[in-house]
Amino acid sequence: MLDLNQSGTDVPGEQAPEAVARAPHPAPLRPYLIAAVVLCALYFLYGYLRYRHFQSPSWDLGIFEQEVRAYAGFDAPVVDIKGPGYLILGDHFSPVVALLAPLYWIWPSALALLFAQAALFAASAVVVGRTAQQILGGRTGLCVTVAYGLSWGLQEAVKADFHEIALAVPLLALVCRALLMERWRAAVLWSLPLVLVKEDLGVTVAVVGVLLALYGRRLQGFLLAAFGVAAFALTVLVLIPAASSAGTYDYWKKIEENGGQQVSLLDSVLGVFDSSVKLEMLVFLVGITAFMALRSPLILLVLPTIGWRLLSQDSNHWGMVWHYSAILMPVVFLAMADGIRRSRDSERPWLVSYANVAVPVAAAIAVALTQHLPLRELLRPETYRADARTHAAEAALEAIPVGARVETDITLMAHLTADRTVYWVGGAPGTAPDVVAINLDFGWSRPIDDPVKYAEQLHPEARYRITREAGSFVVMQRTTPAPGNG
């Protein structure tokens, strides 16, 4: 998948004359592979520890495991966490996730997805660092690798568990590499799979086409831009609605509604910069490159993702947390490399001088910011210790039979999806699951004083009894026959 040969050719048999003329600087592969192994280990160790200590921040890891598990069994990607029989392609269009099925055959666990994401992020660091080395020379490559590998966008994505965008990160790194090395056909070929990673990336592919046109490849650029727009329209207007039980693309509501109230498109546009959280995210996005990314046309590739996030009424999309900025990291760091290269030829002496120190500045920024980012936890001894809550959760898991249909909250969810049918608590009416397992400290809107009464309110067609209590965890088993078996 990755372009790692010594000549820098991205596609076998292709070596554009323009690339030869640029005479890329030597970039031995071994140091970057070592750096990638270290980064992969850090990312996976962090994810593993959070998983083992039941610290998943959302239901997404469980959702993706159910999806990959279905693909691994050659079944339709039904994700019961979203609702019994829910076809996940009616939510987000990410069929490329099926590529993880072979890994899941070997390692049927949510940990396999965390490892895959760590490996994909680390692989992208090889592409980004080695490309910077070939463009800029000197000792810049490993500095860029460190700055990129520790970037807040990747660290927050690792903290957010697995998401489909992990597959887009190395692809975007390869797209940007191909553009910088003037390998136009490679840029097109690496762009095409992005439309299978997530529906909004069709617009990003269209911007790659625009860049090709700006670089003088007008026909290729026009065709790629048309393909990207067509893929986006086909996905959100036809494919997702066809797979959705509601017959629509639900995420339009993120822009059109705020707290159930309609918001006009004009108000959404006028509110693009109405939050300090948004402005902070934008400043840090380019600030981690010592602002040199602004000197490159590649920065245009961030606009589609930034655009929908700023238009969204959901505050989770605005800031520096979650996984939404991971796909922007390879773009801004390779834009930085391009910006530095362009600035070295400037007629302004101060800009040339700044360009010569921008890479170590970016690396210093990344190291400094890590004091406030997720990977800092790996330096704390308590991160490696299992507490009473962890032991209680493990005891609750032991009380849930393999193969059972379980309704639960986020805490236990991703630990159950490998070998049980799992529903989101309150999201499976009429199913009378075999087990209802809840964490009383999960953060319910109202405290649950009587767990059995709560389970029977969710499923009045069934009766439950407590089979295990451990700390704040309660496991309840159905005592009446399953519906249709009585």
Side-chain angles (χ1 to χ4, degrees):
M1 173 179 173
L2 299 179
D3 158 36
L4 299 175
N5 60 70
Q6 197 61 22
S7 68
T9 304
D10 288 285
V11 177
E14 177 187 14
Q15 189 169 5
E18 299 95 326
V20 175
R22 284 186 176 275
H25 296 276
L29 180 56
R30 181 176 296 178
Y32 298 96
L33 290 179
I34 294 172
V37 169
V38 172
L39 288 171
C40 181
L42 291 174
Y43 299 151
F44 180 66
L45 177 61
Y46 180 84
Y48 171 81
L49 291 170
R50 283 176 61 83
Y51 177 82
R52 293 303 303 169
H53 297 163
F54 298 85
Q55 295 174 344
S56 292
S58 72
W59 62 359
D60 291 346
L61 182 58
I63 286 174
F64 282 107
E65 185 178 2
Q66 283 191 336
E67 181 179 2
V68 175
R69 180 185 177 190
Y71 284 128
F74 301 100
D75 295 321
V78 168
V79 173
D80 291 310
I81 290 173
K82 294 282 289 183
Y86 188 95
L87 187 62
I88 197 63
L89 294 179
D91 183 52
H92 286 304
F93 190 74
S94 306
V96 74
V97 170
L99 293 176
L100 297 177
L103 175 61
Y104 198 79
W105 294 336
I106 300 169
W107 192 2
S109 167
L111 287 171
L113 304 189
L114 297 179
F115 176 77
Q117 178 168 269
L120 289 164
F121 285 174
S124 70
V126 176
V127 178
V128 170
R130 190 162 179 267
T131 302
Q133 176 68 36
Q134 290 177 303
I135 289 174
L136 301 176
R139 299 180 179 178
T140 56
L142 288 176
C143 280
V144 171
T145 302
V146 170
Y148 171 80
L150 296 179
S151 62
W152 58 264
L154 294 187
Q155 290 201 47
E156 291 295 345
V158 170
K159 182 180 180 179
D161 288 337
F162 177 86
H163 289 86
E164 74 284 279
I165 55 87
L167 294 150
V169 171
L171 285 173
L172 280 165
L174 288 162
V175 169
C176 293
R177 172 184 172 80
L179 290 171
L180 294 182
M181 305 296 283
E182 299 182 2
R183 305 225 169 82
W184 315 122
R185 187 176 67 177
V188 173
L189 294 177
W190 288 123
S191 297
L192 298 180
L194 287 170
V195 302
L196 302 177
V197 177
K198 199 175 178 189
E199 61 277 2
D200 61 290
L201 290 176
V203 184
T204 300
V205 172
V207 176
V208 177
V210 171
L211 286 172
L212 284 171
L214 290 176
Y215 289 138
R217 311 295 291 191
R218 291 184 176 82
L219 179 60
Q220 284 175 299
F222 172 79
L223 292 176
L224 186 62
F227 169 79
V229 171
F232 171 74
L234 177 66
T235 305
V236 301
L237 299 178
V238 179
L239 298 180
I240 292 179
S244 170
S245 57
T248 60
Y249 178 55
D250 287 343
Y251 289 91
W252 292 127
K253 295 178 182 178
K254 296 290 186 179
I255 296 174
E256 298 171 346
E257 296 182 8
N258 186 0
Q261 300 294 317
Q262 288 294 123
V263 178
S264 70
L265 180 59
L266 178 60
D267 286 337
S268 294
V269 173
L270 293 177
V272 161
F273 299 114
D274 63 353
S275 168
S276 60
V277 175
K278 297 178 181 179
L279 296 175
E280 178 187 61
M281 182 268 292
L282 292 174
V283 170
F284 275 87
L285 180 65
V286 292
I288 56 174
T289 69
F291 297 96
M292 292 303 294
L294 296 173
R295 295 275 299 166
S296 170
L298 285 185
I299 198 67
L300 295 176
L301 287 173
V302 308
L303 295 182
T305 299
I306 290 295
W308 72 257
R309 289 175 62 187
L310 297 183
L311 288 172
S312 174
Q313 304 301 313
D314 186 343
S315 59
N316 288 314
H317 295 152
W318 301 347
M320 297 171 62
V321 296
W322 299 106
H323 58 287
Y324 303 108
S325 296
I327 62 173
L328 305 179
M329 296 298 106
V331 174
V332 296
F333 276 94
L334 285 177
M336 175 186 74
D338 187 36
I340 292 171
R341 177 172 63 179
R342 292 168 180 268
S343 299
R344 286 176 174 178
D345 296 328
S346 174
E347 296 179 356
R348 289 168 282 186
W350 68 267
L351 183 56
V352 175
S353 297
Y354 182 64
N356 289 331
V357 298
V359 167
V361 167
I365 291 171
V367 172
L369 285 179
T370 297
Q371 299 179 61
H372 309 285
L373 291 171
L375 290 184
R376 75 186 185 281
E377 300 292 337
L378 296 178
L379 299 176
R380 299 176 177 175
E382 58 270 24
T383 300
Y384 301 87
R385 292 195 290 262
D387 57 14
R389 175 181 174 278
T390 300
H391 294 309
E394 291 171 343
L397 284 179
E398 292 174 358
I400 302 173
V402 172
R405 295 182 303 117
V406 187
E407 187 167 359
T408 190
D409 57 70
I410 289 169
T411 316
L412 298 177
M413 186 172 286
H415 295 260
L416 294 166
T417 45
D419 49 17
R420 285 97 162 175
T421 299
V422 181
Y423 306 112
W424 165 244
V425 65
T431 59
D434 305 317
V435 175
V436 176
I438 57 175
N439 174 13
L440 296 177
D441 292 341
F442 170 63
W444 308 96
S445 56
R446 295 180 181 178
I448 299 175
D449 299 320
D450 187 339
V452 172
K453 182 179 178 181
Y454 177 71
E456 293 176 353
Q457 285 175 341
L458 294 175
H459 301 284
E461 73 279 10
R463 293 293 176 266
Y464 290 87
R465 67 179 178 88
I466 295 175
T467 56
R468 179 70 61 90
E469 288 184 274
S472 62
F473 295 89
V474 180
V475 177
M476 295 163 282
Q477 193 158 359
R478 193 186 68 246
T479 60
T480 52
N485 293 341

